[in-house]
Amino acid sequence: RSDTGVITDLTEPVFLKQGCPVYLKIRTDITGKFARFYYSCDGIEWTKAGEPCSTDILTDEHCRGFTGAHFGMYCHDMTGLRLYADFDYFLYKNLSKM
């Protein structure tokens, strides 16, 4: 989490096999106030990553104004080794309306 320049790791590192595709998922609770992150190496068996976290800072309302919630994907190389990630796709589903 990065909150006004303060970076906090909310999960322990997850070590995966090199060359293995990784699937990522986030689910919110019914209120949308908390989110839980998951990862998978096959898109079928999912593992929780960390504890549920507040979604308060996923909105620009946190920064004195509101235009909506923000979700997206990016790679941040915290090692400085110029590591990268390739993303094949990003899919958003609103399961509450299904």
Side-chain angles (χ1 to χ4, degrees):
R1 170 188 356 215
S2 177
D3 185 359
T4 57
V6 178
I7 297 172
T8 307
D9 287 329
L10 299 179
T11 63
E12 294 296 319
V14 175
F15 298 97
L16 303 167
K17 293 179 184 176
Q18 188 171 352
C20 173
V22 179
Y23 300 83
L24 304 172
K25 175 168 60 172
I26 181 174
R27 296 192 81 163
T28 61
D29 67 355
I30 191 112
T31 67
K33 293 184 183 238
F34 292 93
R36 179 178 285 279
F37 294 86
Y38 300 84
Y39 67 93
S40 172
C41 289
D42 61 11
I44 299 168
E45 298 288 328
W46 293 92
T47 303
K48 294 176 185 174
E51 297 298 318
C53 59
S54 171
T55 59
D56 289 346
I57 68 169
L58 294 178
T59 171
D60 54 7
E61 186 173 47
H62 181 70
C63 300
R64 297 175 299 281
F66 183 76
T67 58
H70 304 276
F71 282 90
M73 295 173 59
Y74 76 99
C75 175
H76 186 111
D77 176 14
M78 300 290 284
T79 68
L81 297 174
R82 297 183 178 183
L83 301 174
Y84 64 92
D86 291 322
F87 299 105
D88 289 335
Y89 65 93
F90 179 88
L91 176 66
Y92 171 85
K93 290 182 184 178
N94 184 344
L95 298 178
S96 68
K97 295 184 179 184
M98 297 182 102

